[in-house]
Amino acid sequence: MKKQIAILGSTGSIGTQALQVIEEHPDLYEAYALTANNRVDMLIEQARKFQPEVVVIANEEKYLYLKEALSDLPIKVYAGADAICQVVQEKSVDIVLTAMVGYAGLRPTMAAIRARKVIALANKETMVVAGELINALANEYQTPILPVDSEHSAIFQCLEMQNSLEKIILTASGGPFRTFTMEQLQHVTKEQALKHPNWSMGAKITVDSASMMNKGFEVIEAKWLFGLKPEQIEVVVHPQSVIHSMVEFEDGAVKAQLGVPDMRLPIQYAFSYPQRVRSSFDRLDFMKCNNLTFEAPDTNRFRNLALAYEALNQGGNMPCIVNAANEVVVAAFLKDQISFLGMSDVIEQCMQRVPFIQVPTYENYVSTDAETRRIAAEIVINQMK
Ligand code: NAD
Ligand code: MG
């Protein structure tokens, strides 16, 4: 039986690479549902090619256009965020790949967990915002959450069932500004931030990588995925992105997963787990890896990483506050409304101003997200004056 896959965010970087994996293994996988936010023409093209059962466009204004364009095909067409939550629950769906960006991933992920679908988790913001709640829910419904983020997939591939680990070492490329001085960082532009040295990704995560908020989020994501204490999670800058992350066991042995930087491998592994299946992806050539280097991250220049650790230590709704503030400032940075370093200032102010809740409910997360966005937007606007 082919595995039926719902791809949330099929028009994005992860989504399109997931479709390449499906295309490479038509005998194993089928795209059951494709969803997107705005890029309706690309969604139409994908629907024509992959013939899914269902497509959903989150932006309801594009519904009629989409419906009309697919009217000659037996594809169900829906619109809106609620429809995405509905579609993941459909009986035939085996795997839900959460490849949409940001807080919007939380609700459909919760719906998919309740429907006992295998979660292939790319949307790290879900774990950042509400990792505790997601874990409790996954536990209650006995739903597996398989990491797609390359670092977490690497760790997942290194784990040993019978042995507990001492710590994990998350590798970070350091992004395009790794060697920049504070003075240089003051003047960097969005065009520079959007040029990642090793990975081609969506705009938001590319800016997060440049500011190292992405690594901060991955630290939080790792805590919840692998049940770790903050002091068990180390970040090492490894600019070549060949080692995708490492696990250190109690006897001091270290296991690493290596490969060329290609997200199709972790996507495919989440689809095929516990098996591995053949792929045509590029192989690692060790003769070209003669310079693998490692250095400590600098939390003075990349303050977001320190803020993420602080949020992790405080717990409660603090990571949710950091995530919401970060979504606002990244959007503002991409519109040239705020400077690169200004982003951390706004996030820090939100951490101080938004009421702290030690044991948040789902409703608390929703209100924290909304309140933080309001405050962050207000600070950004005041700064622009
Ligand atoms: P992207 O911006 O390229 O694509 C995002 C997708 O989500 C698009 O299909 C878009 O239509 C959809 N989307 C956006 N907002 C939405 C909304 N409100 N409702 C419904 N759909 C919405 O992003 P990406 O780089 O593919 O990243 C997707 C997720 O995967 C992010 O959470 C990111 O952190 C994570 N991730 C990405 C990579 C990577 O290599 N790109 C690696 C690891 C983790
Ligand atoms: Mg990653």
Side-chain angles (χ1 to χ4, degrees):
M1 280 274 280
K2 292 184 199 177
K3 287 186 186 168
Q4 300 294 323
I5 302 177
I7 303 181
L8 310 188
S10 65
T11 56
S13 158
I14 293 287
T16 49
Q17 293 180 84
L19 286 171
Q20 289 173 23
V21 170
I22 292 176
E23 205 175 355
E24 176 149 325
H25 298 287
D27 49 328
L28 297 176
Y29 312 120
E30 209 160 45
Y32 181 89
L34 301 178
T35 84
N37 193 30
N38 263 316
R39 272 183 243 165
V40 67
D41 286 317
M42 187 165 178
L43 185 61
I44 291 165
E45 205 178 296
Q46 291 179 340
R48 293 207 155 272
K49 181 164 175 189
F50 289 90
Q51 307 270 326
E53 291 288 316
V54 194
V55 297
V56 187
I57 185 91
N59 181 347
E60 298 183 27
E61 286 172 16
K62 309 221 163 149
Y63 171 72
L64 284 179
Y65 179 78
L66 176 64
K67 175 119 184 107
E68 177 63 29
L70 297 176
S71 58
D72 59 323
L73 296 171
I75 299 176
K76 287 180 267 176
V77 180
Y78 303 124
D82 287 345
I84 297 176
C85 292
Q86 290 292 324
V87 158
V88 298
Q89 302 178 46
E90 288 204 13
K91 202 160 168 284
S92 311
V93 172
D94 299 305
I95 300 174
V96 175
L97 172 65
T98 67
M100 66 229 283
V101 59
Y103 175 86
L106 177 60
R107 215 157 59 90
T109 306
M110 289 173 68
I113 292 172
R114 288 199 176 96
R116 294 193 159 89
K117 307 303 184 187
V118 172
I119 310 293
L121 183 102
N123 178 261
K124 68 190 83 185
E125 292 92 341
T126 287
M127 284 315 231
V128 172
V129 168
E132 197 160 12
L133 187 92
I134 291 291
N135 273 359
L137 210 59
N139 222 0
E140 185 183 341
Y141 289 88
Q142 291 295 300
T143 305
I145 300 180
L146 306 177
V148 169
D149 214 344
S150 58
E151 295 78 1
H152 305 73
S153 176
I155 289 159
F156 186 60
Q157 292 176 61
C158 292
L159 292 179
E160 295 177 3
M161 287 290 279
Q162 63 283 21
N163 292 312
S164 50
L165 49 85
E166 195 155 273
K167 68 173 183 189
I168 62 165
I169 301 135
L170 286 177
T171 50
S173 72
F177 306 140
R178 182 175 60 88
T179 58
F180 279 39
T181 62
M182 229 25 201
E183 161 66 18
Q184 287 174 303
L185 283 176
Q186 268 167 7
H187 308 292
V188 295
T189 62
K190 67 173 185 222
E191 287 76 19
Q192 287 173 291
L194 286 172
K195 280 202 192 92
H196 195 278
N198 305 339
W199 300 93
S200 159
M201 311 178 285
K204 193 253 179 187
I205 184 177
T206 306
V207 174
D208 285 348
S209 298
S211 73
M212 289 205 78
M213 184 54 98
N214 183 52
K215 210 46 59 180
F217 283 171
E218 290 183 353
V219 169
I220 301 174
E221 182 187 13
K223 174 197 159 83
W224 297 118
L225 282 176
F226 306 116
L228 301 168
K229 299 194 189 82
E231 57 272 21
Q232 288 179 293
I233 311 169
E234 192 177 311
V235 173
V236 170
V237 175
H238 165 49
Q240 299 79 22
S241 298
V242 168
I243 297 180
H244 294 148
S245 277
M246 301 176 254
V247 171
E248 185 175 309
F249 292 93
E250 284 173 323
D251 59 357
V254 178
K255 274 167 81 174
Q257 188 261 338
L258 289 71
V260 289
D262 184 342
M263 285 307 295
R264 289 175 301 175
L265 194 138
I267 294 168
Q268 174 172 302
Y269 188 67
F271 288 175
S272 69
Y273 178 80
Q275 273 83 41
R276 289 183 185 274
V277 294
R278 187 166 287 284
S279 86
S280 64
F281 315 148
D282 285 350
R283 288 347 192 206
L284 189 61
D285 180 352
F286 277 92
M287 300 313 139
K288 290 189 183 142
C289 296
N290 49 14
N291 191 23
L292 298 186
T293 61
F294 306 92
E295 62 198 47
D298 180 350
T299 48
N300 291 322
R301 281 181 305 135
F302 298 98
R303 205 144 50 88
N304 281 352
L305 185 58
L307 294 177
Y309 264 108
E310 195 180 314
L312 176 65
N313 283 318
Q314 290 192 39
N317 64 340
M318 199 51 87
C320 174
I321 295 171
V322 171
N323 178 71
N326 184 60
E327 288 193 30
V328 172
V329 294
V330 170
F333 176 68
L334 288 171
K335 285 190 219 144
D336 294 318
Q337 293 171 343
I338 185 173
S339 71
F340 184 76
L341 292 177
M343 291 196 287
S344 306
D345 296 334
V346 179
I347 295 166
E348 197 165 18
Q349 285 184 53
C350 287
M351 290 171 79
Q352 286 155 7
R353 279 175 58 180
V354 180
F356 178 67
I357 304 170
Q358 187 70 64
V359 187
T361 60
Y362 173 70
E363 288 69 30
N364 293 147
Y365 286 123
V366 175
S367 55
T368 297
D369 178 75
E371 176 70 355
T372 308
R373 281 170 198 272
R374 192 186 62 73
I375 292 177
E378 191 184 287
I379 303 171
V380 170
I381 288 168
N382 282 337
Q383 278 191 2
M384 285 165 64
K385 281 179 190 159

